[in-house]
Amino acid sequence: MAGEDGLRETLLDHSDYRACRNVWQAYSGDGDAALADYVDAMRATEGAVALVAQDGAADVYARFDAGRFEHLTLWPPWTIGGVDHTDSAGLESYLRETTNLRPIRHDDTPFASPSTLGSMTHRIWP
């Protein structure tokens, strides 16, 4: 519940951005948000909001950090399937092929723990 409350607060704190309002309405079941809204909400919140989706059995996490978009694919059990940096159009194109796209707090993603990701470097799958 803390994750949901934090996501709600972050989106409401940035509700002057149309994308954040649309993402909140979609998240709460009161409306729809386009893929571009989800990506723009990450930038509008300066990375506090991230995205998670499914690509088959893998989880795909996306974030905005240091002025660029990144995505990370994790295959169970904790194998990195790919990490890439891109622009908003590239991320939208990549996420268009995924399912169950939803916002998540950055603090609830694997990106929030660089030491955890660093310990998995031997598990990168080509």
Side-chain angles (χ1 to χ4, degrees):
M1 189 62 141
E4 287 183 23
D5 287 343
L7 179 63
R8 178 183 187 274
E9 287 177 23
T10 300
L11 289 169
L12 290 176
D13 285 347
H14 294 86
S15 63
D16 51 331
Y17 292 96
R18 181 186 49 82
C20 291
R21 287 191 308 271
N22 290 347
V23 168
W24 174 250
Q25 288 175 346
Y27 183 76
S28 63
D30 294 331
D32 295 315
L35 180 55
D37 291 328
Y38 285 99
V39 173
D40 288 344
M42 289 194 303
R43 183 183 356 227
T45 62
E46 299 175 2
V49 171
L51 299 174
V52 62
Q54 268 74 53
D55 184 5
D59 290 326
V60 176
Y61 293 90
R63 74 171 176 175
F64 181 76
D65 183 55
R68 67 181 180 184
F69 292 94
E70 300 176 307
H71 59 85
L72 167 71
T73 303
L74 294 177
W75 290 88
W78 295 100
T79 300
I80 299 174
V83 178
D84 198 7
H85 307 283
T86 188
D87 59 9
S88 60
L91 183 61
E92 286 179 36
S93 177
Y94 181 76
L95 292 175
R96 201 168 282 118
E97 303 299 319
T98 64
T99 60
N100 197 24
L101 179 71
R102 60 200 183 280
I104 186 173
R105 291 179 335 128
H106 181 272
D107 292 349
D108 295 334
T109 71
F111 291 115
S113 180
S115 61
T116 300
L117 288 177
S119 71
M120 294 170 40
T121 57
H122 68 287
R123 304 184 94 179
I124 295 176
W125 186 72

